[in-house]
Amino acid sequence: MKSTVETLSPTRVRLAIEVPFVELESSLKKAYREIAQQVTVPGFRRGKVPTNVIDQRVGRGTVLNEAVQEAIPENILAAVREHDVKTLGRPEVEITEFSDGEPLKFTAEVDVRPEITLPDLSGIEVTVDELQIADSEIDEQVNGLRERFATLKTVERAAQDGDYVQLDLAASVDGEEVPGGSATNISHEVGSKQLLPGLDEVLVGLEAGASTSFVTQLVGGDFAGRDADVAVTVRTVKEKQLPELDDEFAQMASEFDSLEELRNDLRERVTRAKRVEQIYAARDKALEQVVAAAEVPAPEGVVREEVDSRKQAMVDQLERIGASLEEYLAAEEKTEEQIDTELNEAATEGVKIQLVLDTLADAEDVQVSDDEFGHEIMHRAQRAGMAPQQYYDQLVRSGAAGSVFGDVRRGKALALVMERVKITDSAGNPVTMDALQGEDGDAHDHDHEH
């Protein structure tokens, strides 16, 4: 094999590769073996079909194509090693010349890691907002607990906002019943807007046993976009009763004996959560400064793959909750072009951060121990609801184990960044990493969405 490398930009090269036909021999034999296993020819056992019969039945061109597809990745890898090219992402291949018995000539364009000059981390200063916790935030936490321990009591009066009602609903369009448009004895909080548009407005003032109707626009099914008449009957009206705010409530809702102790604990929890938020804000600002100072270029191909991956993940997530991208765009009042632009900006920044952290990891010779790698596998398996070994086997099969290893290494490089940059709050107080000790979320998780 002969190869040359041409630099197209600081982040992309083109490899020109020529493979003599004789070097395709092993790939050609493998192609014949695999095709022989797949074809059935009368008079020959499966896998024992001679090459000349395969040429007649399947075609020599098909076999050559199989052999070339097998040979290309191997020869790209050899060329990459020969020229010491630090590749990123998948190569774009174009066969420029090939015929039976002649050399295979092709090009492979691929993104490469750019040369990055890191700034002195100790010279980077980051300022985050001062930690402030208002009494109203603790009140909010306490009220959240009260809501969890609320009870419902049937009342003999008309429904008001905040009440819970048991309802029967039946929707019809032009007198025709809507398929799936009826429901009986469903519970609904008045004013929550959780069911049909227009329902909450007519419920206020209705007593148990009362009926009414209203018009709403249907969003799904055969009658989507049509106005439907919805008959509604109230079965019961229940009032939400919150427990008194006293020591007895504290004992019921927590392990504490007094309301004061409970409030103090909630204040500690809120403080801890805000300190973690403060550190994440510092992380984002520090990385932004490092990327800007290093003037990192973003490899277009890798960014494109990342955008595609993020968009697919978004679509999958929407499908899991029964929504489409079109519905999401309508709800967010955005066009698909706007979403693509946002994804592109986030992916570009994410790729630049990865490049900076990889460069730092190389410069500092960051190593990942088996324990650290194993801990990350267990953490991810737990989140995926799988057994660690099963999760790891799946990673190996999909070829993603190296990616997880890279994530752990980048996480350690990010820890170095956070140790060396100077972080203070707006009041001039130093911010330390102490709040992250014992936190489940990885303190130095590099994979943050913008």
Side-chain angles (χ1 to χ4, degrees):
M1 180 210 62
K2 291 188 296 186
S3 66
T4 58
V5 63
E6 176 190 356
T7 301
L8 303 176
S9 77
T11 61
R12 199 162 178 85
V13 299
R14 181 190 290 125
L15 295 163
I17 298 170
E18 182 179 328
V19 186
F21 192 80
V22 68
E23 289 182 22
L24 296 174
E25 199 62 44
S26 63
S27 295
L28 205 53
K29 283 179 181 173
K30 187 176 178 185
Y32 274 117
R33 278 200 308 273
E34 288 183 356
I35 292 170
Q37 291 291 342
Q38 294 161 16
V39 297
T40 303
V41 179
F44 297 100
R45 292 207 314 276
R46 187 178 289 276
K48 300 294 183 183
V49 186
T51 56
N52 62 331
V53 176
I54 289 174
D55 286 347
Q56 288 166 8
R57 285 295 182 110
V58 181
R60 170 78 168 173
T62 302
V63 184
L64 287 169
N65 186 55
E66 287 269 334
V68 165
Q69 297 309 315
E70 154 86 18
I72 283 174
E74 292 176 0
N75 283 281
I76 290 176
L77 193 59
V80 161
R81 284 178 179 152
E82 180 187 341
H83 299 285
D84 194 23
V85 176
K86 294 183 175 68
T87 60
L88 298 167
R90 290 191 295 269
E92 290 179 14
V93 176
E94 184 186 348
I95 296 173
T96 52
E97 208 178 301
F98 181 59
S99 57
D100 198 354
E102 297 298 319
L104 164 66
K105 295 180 181 179
F106 67 96
T107 61
E109 280 193 24
V110 64
D111 282 342
V112 293
R113 258 178 64 182
E115 291 296 324
I116 295 171
T117 305
L118 294 169
D120 176 9
L121 297 177
S122 62
I124 288 177
E125 297 185 10
V126 171
T127 305
V128 291
D129 293 339
E130 186 185 0
L131 206 66
Q132 292 180 329
I133 290 120
D135 285 342
S136 58
E137 293 179 76
I138 309 307
D139 294 341
E140 204 177 302
Q141 295 284 320
V142 172
N143 287 333
L145 267 181
R146 280 181 90 196
E147 291 283 347
R148 279 170 51 192
F149 286 88
T151 54
L152 295 178
K153 181 189 174 189
T154 302
V155 288
E156 301 299 325
R157 60 162 174 76
Q160 303 169 357
D161 269 351
D163 286 343
Y164 280 77
V165 291
Q166 298 293 123
L167 300 173
D168 293 345
L169 296 172
S172 59
V173 173
D174 298 335
E176 185 185 342
E177 192 177 315
V178 174
S182 296
T184 56
N185 205 26
I186 56 172
S187 179
H188 174 67
E189 183 184 2
V190 181
S192 67
K193 310 281 189 194
Q194 291 297 305
L195 287 174
L196 299 169
L199 172 63
D200 289 284
E201 288 76 4
V202 299
L203 285 175
V204 173
L206 290 185
E207 296 183 8
S211 298
T212 189
S213 65
F214 64 99
V215 177
T216 193
Q217 193 176 71
L218 300 175
V219 292
D222 297 339
F223 294 98
R226 301 272 300 277
D227 282 345
D229 297 302
V230 182
V232 54
T233 302
V234 175
R235 291 190 175 209
T236 59
V237 178
K238 294 181 180 181
E239 183 180 75
K240 183 164 65 174
Q241 295 188 327
L242 297 172
E244 288 295 321
L245 270 182
D246 51 23
D247 291 348
E248 192 177 325
F249 164 70
Q251 290 162 20
M252 174 178 66
S254 71
E255 70 269 33
F256 300 105
D257 293 329
S258 71
L259 187 60
E260 186 184 0
E261 286 176 309
L262 171 57
R263 286 183 68 90
N264 288 340
D265 179 67
L266 289 170
R267 186 177 291 276
E268 278 180 31
R269 287 170 187 266
V270 170
T271 303
R272 212 157 43 236
K274 285 203 168 191
R275 286 201 191 284
V276 171
E277 280 177 26
Q278 198 182 43
I279 291 166
Y280 284 154
R283 172 197 68 181
D284 289 350
K285 286 186 174 185
L287 287 172
E288 194 178 322
Q289 283 198 45
V290 174
V291 166
E295 298 179 347
V296 184
E300 288 177 22
V302 176
V303 169
R304 208 163 42 240
E305 283 179 28
E306 183 67 16
V307 169
D308 291 345
S309 169
R310 290 185 185 208
K311 193 168 185 180
Q312 189 57 52
M314 178 190 284
V315 171
D316 292 346
Q317 197 173 352
L318 287 167
E319 282 179 357
R320 278 199 294 274
I321 59 170
S324 68
L325 183 61
E326 289 71 25
E327 289 167 335
Y328 172 76
L329 292 171
E332 292 290 314
E333 296 182 348
K334 289 180 179 176
T335 64
E336 191 165 355
E337 287 74 21
Q338 285 174 305
I339 292 290
D340 287 345
T341 300
E342 288 174 13
L343 285 172
N344 191 71
E345 287 172 2
T348 300
E349 188 65 16
V351 168
K352 285 181 176 183
I353 286 167
Q354 288 198 0
L355 289 171
V356 157
L357 294 177
D358 283 340
T359 304
L360 179 62
D362 286 350
E364 298 286 337
D365 194 24
V366 172
Q367 302 294 323
V368 175
S369 69
D370 289 346
D371 279 353
E372 287 165 334
F373 183 63
H375 177 76
E376 181 65 15
I377 293 293
M378 285 179 68
H379 186 62
R380 293 189 186 206
Q382 201 172 12
R383 283 204 309 234
M386 294 170 69
Q389 189 61 48
Q390 182 191 4
Y391 183 81
Y392 177 71
D393 291 344
Q394 185 177 298
L395 276 181
V396 172
R397 276 198 303 276
S398 64
S403 170
V404 175
F405 186 89
D407 286 347
V408 178
R409 192 165 181 259
R410 279 189 283 270
K412 292 185 75 173
L414 179 51
L416 291 176
V417 172
M418 298 302 283
E419 282 169 16
R420 293 178 190 178
V421 299
K422 185 184 178 186
I423 308 168
T424 53
D425 66 19
S426 49
N429 303 308
V431 174
T432 66
M433 301 296 111
D434 297 347
L436 291 170
Q437 299 307 315
E439 286 296 321
D440 188 32
D442 185 358
H444 308 112
D445 185 2
H446 76 282
D447 185 19
H448 57 304
E449 300 288 333
H450 286 272

